[in-house]
Amino acid sequence: MTDTPAFLKDAKDLLGKQGFATSNVWYHGTSSALVDSIKTQGLKRSGDKVLKNAAKQTMATIGNSYTESIEPVFLTQSKELAFYWAQQTVRNRSVRVEGNEHAVVFAATLSEDLNAKVKPDVGAASLLLLKEGEDFMAYLAGIYQENGFGIPDIDLMKADRMEYLTVLGMAYLNADIAPNCLDMVSE
């Protein structure tokens, strides 16, 4: 299991028999290299331009065209889960970007209107079928067990869409989040 800093361990307060509770506070995990940009521009859909440009250059090198898609802002209701995804971002960036980066978590406090637009990320089903998804499911199972619950019993292909939010803690917002709604989570 990922070595999550103690100040980010919030599952004990959020996790119940029905899964993770939600509120108007959401979390987004990312790389420390993006902190200044996020503090000035907020969380933008299709966020990490460096990785997008690297993918575009790679595809051009091998002679393929690259069509950039606009991805939503991915969120979770748990700092612990956001930290996991932040570590994945750092790992993914390390393949293409040199530097000393570490995982960071931002809290997004959303207005009632924006909060109503947060959706369960059922598109994550395809990710969860890959090795990265298996790793996440193992991490998630560890959180459930650490907090006195059994391993989540979810059939990813037949799950109700709300289970992606409550059981897996996977959500998205198809809108940018302004900097004044964001705070970096720290000790």
Side-chain angles (χ1 to χ4, degrees):
M1 192 156 127
T2 302
D3 191 20
T4 306
F7 74 95
L8 294 174
K9 289 191 169 256
D10 62 351
K12 65 185 174 301
D13 300 321
L14 295 173
L15 201 52
K17 289 181 182 179
Q18 303 303 313
F20 290 93
T22 61
S23 69
N24 70 321
V25 179
W26 297 88
Y27 299 96
H28 179 82
T30 192
S31 167
S32 58
L34 303 175
V35 168
D36 290 340
S37 174
I38 291 169
K39 285 183 174 181
T40 58
Q41 298 179 35
L43 287 171
K44 300 285 194 181
R45 290 174 291 162
S46 293
D48 193 338
K49 299 298 181 202
V50 171
L51 280 186
K52 295 281 182 185
N53 287 336
K56 186 183 263 184
Q57 288 174 335
T58 299
M59 294 306 282
T61 300
I62 61 173
N64 289 347
S65 61
Y66 175 77
T67 305
E68 189 173 326
S69 61
I70 297 176
E71 294 178 355
V73 175
F74 295 102
L75 302 168
T76 181
Q77 61 272 54
S78 167
K79 290 179 260 187
E80 261 178 273
L81 296 179
F83 181 75
Y84 175 87
W85 293 115
Q87 288 188 309
Q88 301 314 302
T89 299
V90 169
R91 183 184 54 79
N92 292 342
R93 285 179 56 86
S94 73
V95 172
R96 299 191 182 268
V97 181
E98 285 188 40
N100 187 15
E101 301 179 19
H102 60 275
V104 296
V105 174
F106 276 89
T109 304
L110 302 182
S111 66
E112 190 175 324
D113 179 53
L114 267 184
N115 198 46
K117 294 178 181 176
V118 174
K119 304 290 182 215
D121 186 8
V122 296
S126 60
L127 165 73
L128 296 174
L129 297 174
L130 304 173
K131 171 76 171 108
E132 292 87 352
E134 289 177 23
D135 293 344
F136 173 72
M137 292 301 288
Y139 176 74
L140 185 69
I143 289 174
Y144 271 78
Q145 290 174 318
E146 186 177 299
N147 289 283
F149 296 94
I151 295 173
D153 182 26
I154 183 169
D155 179 340
L156 299 173
M157 294 301 124
K158 296 178 182 173
D160 178 81
R161 63 183 293 112
M162 285 307 291
E163 288 181 277
Y164 281 86
L165 178 62
T166 58
V167 176
L168 303 177
M170 296 180 140
Y172 72 90
L173 177 63
N174 199 15
D176 297 339
I177 301 175
N180 65 329
C181 298
L182 300 170
D183 291 298
M184 197 163 84
V185 179
S186 59
E187 287 185 81

